[in-house]
Amino acid sequence: MRTCAVMSSQKKVNSWARKRTSQDSSSYQTRLSAWRVKEDLNDSKSISECGQNNTVEDCEGADGQTENALQIALRYFEKGPIKTSQNKEKHLKTVENVAWKNGLAPEGIDILLSVALSGKFGSAVSTRIFKCMIPATLISEDSVVKAVSWLCAGKCSGSTKVLFYRWLVAMFDFIDHKEQINLLYGFFFASLQDDALCPYVCHLLYLLTKKENVKPFRVRKLLDLQAKMGMQPHLQALLSLYKFFVPTLISVSLPMKKKIYFKNSENLWQTALLALRSRNQGFPSEPLKLMLANVYPIKRKWNSHSIIPVLNSCNYSKESRKKRMNLSDYFSSNGSFPLEQLKSFPQLLQNIHCLELPSQMGAVLNSSLLLHYINCVRDESLLLRLYHWLSQTLQEECIWYKVNNYDHGKEFANFLDTILRAECFLQEGFYSCEAFLYKSLPLWDGLCCRSQFLQLVSWIPFSSFSEVKPLLFDHLSRLFFTSSIFFKCSVLQCLKELLQNWLLWLSMDVHVKSVRNSPLETTLGGSMNSVSELIHYVGWLSTTAVRLESNRTFLLHFILDFYEKVCDIYINYNLPLVVLFPPGVFYPVLLSLDSSILNQLCYIMDRYHKNLTAAKKNEFVHKTKSEFSFSSKTYQEFNQYLTAMVGCLWTSKPFQKGLYIDPEVLGNASVAEYKKSLNLVHHPAFLSYTVSFLLQECPEERKVNMSSIRGKKWNWIWVL
Amino acid sequence: MDSYDAPELTPRQDASSRLKDFFIGATPLQKRLESVRKQTSFIPTPPRRKIPQGSQLQEDVDPQKFAVLLHKQWTLYSLTPLYKFSYTDFKEYSKLLTAFIAAEKKKGLAVEVGDDFNIKVIFSTLMGVKGTERDPEAFLVQILSKSQLPSEHKEGKVLWTGWFCCVFGDSLLETVSEDFTCLPLFLANGAETNTAIIGTWFQKTFDCYFRPLAISSFNLSWMAAMWTACKMDHYMATTEFLWSVPCSPHSLDISYAIHPEDAKALWDNVHKTPGEVTQEEVDLFMDCLYSHFHRHFKIHLSATRLVRVSTSVASAHTDGKIKILCPKYLIGVLAYLTELAVFQIE
């Protein structure tokens, strides 16, 4: 059912947490009498479950009978042996039937446990009792404590003891509390000396051990046992757990291959428990698979087992500071919360002040909870540790740094993916990634891990564009111009994301920041400058790309996607910035042969219009002498574009202003009648729509007369 | 006019606003990034460096300890700052590291910390191996084998040696907080497996990162020039260069040995600025060697790759191996290596 491994603490926490939730649903009585009188929650529950399970017997009638029989049987066992063996057999059968079908209530288990361990009926009966001791819901901790005291009485045989430990291990997750049992740690530990019990006791201790249980004398004892018995998997498991809790006492190096310490096959109650789990809501019906948590892949190099280190709390430095204290004081440090137990967000919130940080900060990349922590913590040394680790690892792993290292390409891509996931989660880029880009972008071929690499670019933290440009964007534009259209499009896409990240970051920051008493650049104006420089850079890239790729629709789409972000900065992000597209983008788009492009252009123009109007209105209302009032040049430019557009598409008077075309040139090209040829009806992008419209209107007509639909223009708008 | 005149209002601790911090470059992280930007945007190495001067070692130096550092081949690594490293905990470290090594060697068998093993790890400081007062103290780690015979009580054979140092590491020191100890240069001598084990332990314990430090041909020619420029009382070895010609199946190596005094004479002709070496001088020095070689063998060495330089001061291989011969210039050699290591970790 479950494979146990080094990280037992995890599992324990899991089961404890689950226990807490399941507790309230099953408020059982500890006293048998009370249980007998009332058909309480447990029983009514088992009835309904019986119905659910569709067992063969007719539940309603038979249940009361079996309940009675069970109680009689239990009372019989409780009282002690009576000579007639026939009865015993009958009662035992009753118990077995009920147990295997529905499980036993905590009280029943309490009785049977005492019976089995008192050895009153002999070890054969004890064995049978153990095999059928399956809880319906939970096992009371008190029963277990009582059982342990029976062990001390020494009334049962060795095989029964073994069976008891096996049962305890199998049922460990169903015990309601473990505090009392943990107090018996010393007793269990002493039982290790029994060779027959040793593996099972080890397993139990493995499940039970807490940090404060790890004591130097126990370590010594275990090492003695190891010396006596050799490298036994169960001892290895317990020792590695001890080391995990207190590395200053013990050192063990686990073999690289993953290893299962405790075999599943030894669990006699496997099928019953599976059924039980599915019956008890909240327990996953699937067997819990917990492998060795630090399963290392094959060791690639000595630096690390896998790229990202395993999450271990920082044990050493903590303890070294207190090391002048008494040994026992030093291990029972309750002050801090071990990372390994951190499983949920509420836990994080409760323990955020006393969290033990990982010994290797890189491990946080794999833990979303710790990323939360990183996000709010102001501890610079923590960030610096992450910075150093990440920048070194990136450079070490970067495949185009080294020749013949392309085997690790997949691994590097995965590593980048992990980083990107973390950045996306934090909504913030890492500085080490930026530094890595400075170094690696000039050497990049534009192919290797392209999507990951470009995403890294889009997560560059906000900074002054002019400062970053020579380090990054100049190299990027070189690649951009010399690569395929697909590369160009992905670069545009990544720059769009970069712009979006910057805008989000700034728009959040603007509201928080009220006082600007810092140097020039920290002003909003400075940041807006940086953003507008980025937009102009993309405008420049786009203009050139449009020419290089001769107005490919595919490319135009990506360019317009970028401007869809740009045109809405004022309204969407509440940032005082409106930057228009350059003419090198606007005119090719206006004259594009694709209707969807033109449609997108209309949308963008509309948004520009709304943003500019909003800006103007705001200015008017506040009458501020704001430093961010847009220059009239922006408005003029926009109006010019608008006139050109309206002139083209609407009034059939294209290019009256701005762009001048010599009539002679047009004459030479025999398009003297050019004025109408770009309007809504005749625009090459819309030609197919016009034709299909005409065919719909008057399908019988052979010759298509386009000018005939002049009056119906209005319909056209809605068609679009 | 402005509502600035409320002095109790300190808007500096604006938790979620890192913008200002960013532009001022106030936090160590920003400083880090700033320095990376500077490094990347300018020529990677400064165009001029000081010629290593005679012994800059301080008075309280144990010459015996230094003997350990000389005449051995060291493999170079760069190392990011050590987190929460303490010079006062050496005893504890050696106990833990001993147990760690023992456990690694007996895979799967647990060992007790502080147990008696047949090896012993010793941590000790290397007093005086530093450039400025700000540089943290260098330290040495040695693995000794304990002899099995009870009669021999003397310390056993040295199995492995490694040391950590920082000589003129100012640029790095400025960018970290006091939780860190900056010893960017790590040198190891001994079995690679031991280096791996010890490196892993350091990485786990102090959250640092080791990376092999290779020396490029460009930097090797700098070394050649700087070391040739050193004044020597007597030369212990010839000055030798090794170039590698990439061709299959085996690369072809060209070795070029010069009498050290001739090399010095050549350098003195090339050298103009007193006390310093400039990029032009390095280029000229190497060009002279190339043209001399071409005159005799009609081979353009400039088209090949310089892989090793050995002089009386030290010898270095492009793989990141170094052997220091002259105690007088130890600090000078380390200063340049520290610079390379710092460059690598930025």
Side-chain angles (χ1 to χ4, degrees), chain A residues 140-141 144-145 148 168 172 175 177-185 188 204 208:
Chain A
S140 150
E141 186 184 25
V144 179
V145 174
V148 172
L168 199 56
F172 193 79
I175 302 170
H177 293 101
K178 273 118 185 167
E179 287 77 19
Q180 299 279 330
I181 299 176
N182 192 271
L183 293 179
L184 296 171
Y185 196 92
F188 293 126
L204 178 67
L208 206 58

Side-chain angles (χ1 to χ4, degrees), chain A residues 560 580-581 583 585-592 594-609 636-659 674-686 713 717 720:
Chain A
L560 289 182
L580 293 173
F581 26 43
V585 170
F586 175 76
Y587 289 106
V589 168
L590 184 62
L591 303 176
S592 150
D594 190 280
S595 54
S596 63
I597 291 285
L598 221 60
N599 180 35
Q600 215 174 346
L601 177 73
C602 293
Y603 171 77
I604 291 171
M605 286 300 281
D606 177 47
R607 294 306 305 172
Y608 267 132
H609 178 247
Q636 273 170 17
E637 219 177 319
F638 176 77
N639 286 336
Q640 200 177 330
Y641 284 151
L642 199 63
T643 337
M645 206 169 135
V646 170
C648 252
L649 298 174
W650 210 253
T651 56
S652 304
K653 286 174 196 151
F655 312 125
Q656 301 278 311
K657 268 191 240 165
L659 197 76
Y674 70 93
K675 283 196 169 170
K676 284 179 191 168
S677 59
L678 282 176
N679 71 15
L680 218 43
V681 177
H682 295 95
H683 195 290
F686 296 135
K713 266 180 195 166
I717 313 302
L720 283 177

Side-chain angles (χ1 to χ4, degrees), chain A residues 349-396:
Chain A
L349 290 183
Q350 274 165 26
N351 300 294
I352 200 151
H353 58 286
C354 58
L355 207 61
E356 268 178 32
L357 289 171
S359 59
Q360 282 172 289
M361 210 35 88
V364 300
L365 282 190
N366 276 336
S367 156
S368 57
L369 285 173
L370 283 180
L371 283 175
H372 276 302
Y373 182 75
I374 293 275
N375 202 17
C376 62
V377 78
R378 302 282 292 163
D379 180 4
E380 280 295 337
S381 59
L382 189 154
L383 298 173
L384 251 167
R385 282 160 72 191
L386 186 62
Y387 174 92
H388 279 302
W389 174 81
L390 192 53
S391 63
Q392 292 301 293
T393 316
L394 276 168
Q395 288 186 54
E396 178 102 330

Side-chain angles (χ1 to χ4, degrees), chain A residues 220 223 226 236 248-249 251 253 302-303 316 323 361 385 387 392 396 431 434 438-439 467 516, chain B residues 4 18 22 32 37 83 89 92 96 107-108 110-113 196 199 203 207 210-211 345-346:
Chain A
R220 230 163 288 137
L223 289 170
Q226 183 189 251
Q236 211 175 22
T248 47
L249 275 185
S251 215
S253 156
W302 67 269
N303 259 339
Y316 177 69
K323 79 165 184 260
M361 210 35 88
R385 282 160 72 191
Y387 174 92
Q392 292 301 293
E396 178 102 330
Y431 288 122
E434 189 181 343
Y438 294 161
K439 287 193 169 182
E467 214 173 299
R516 293 182 210 105
Chain B
Y4 266 53
R18 297 190 193 172
F22 183 86
R32 217 74 281 282
R37 280 188 186 161
Y83 179 65
D89 287 343
E92 190 69 22
L96 287 170
K107 274 254 166 312
V111 297
E112 189 184 357
V113 171
Q203 289 192 155
D207 203 2
F210 287 83
R211 269 178 75 199
I345 62 177
E346 292 210 310

Side-chain angles (χ1 to χ4, degrees), chain B residues 28 69 76 87 91-92 128 131-132 162 279 281 292 308 324 327:
Chain B
L69 311 180
L76 301 171
Y87 286 93
K91 265 211 181 114
E92 190 69 22
T132 63
Q279 184 66 57
E281 287 171 3
H292 178 75
R308 204 184 71 206
I324 302 167

Side-chain angles (χ1 to χ4, degrees), chain A residues 254-361:
Chain A
L254 297 172
M256 285 308 156
K257 283 183 293 172
K258 68 179 155 194
K259 177 133 194 168
I260 296 164
Y261 291 124
F262 305 108
K263 287 190 214 103
N264 269 336
S265 53
E266 299 192 345
N267 193 337
L268 295 167
W269 298 269
Q270 199 158 359
T271 47
L273 286 179
L274 276 180
L276 175 58
R277 273 176 207 279
S278 57
R279 215 161 44 212
N280 285 8
Q281 296 242 321
F283 288 93
S285 55
E286 251 179 75
L288 278 171
K289 278 213 187 79
L290 239 151
M291 291 302 202
L292 198 63
N294 33 2
V295 174
Y296 306 133
I298 299 118
K299 191 174 181 181
R300 278 178 326 121
K301 53 173 114 70
W302 67 269
N303 259 339
S304 50
H305 298 298
S306 64
I307 301 181
I308 300 173
V310 180
L311 201 67
N312 277 344
S313 33
C314 184
N315 289 295
Y316 177 69
S317 55
K318 271 253 149 66
E319 274 144 22
S320 70
R321 257 176 278 140
K322 306 185 230 167
K323 79 165 184 260
R324 273 141 202 94
M325 290 156 69
N326 194 343
L327 263 185
S328 56
D329 292 341
Y330 132 23
F331 294 128
S332 58
S333 53
N334 296 320
S336 57
F337 187 78
L339 267 185
E340 293 76 16
Q341 290 182 19
L342 186 67
K343 287 289 164 293
S344 68
F345 192 65
Q347 268 182 326
L348 175 72
L349 290 183
Q350 274 165 26
N351 300 294
I352 200 151
H353 58 286
C354 58
L355 207 61
E356 268 178 32
L357 289 171
S359 59
Q360 282 172 289
M361 210 35 88

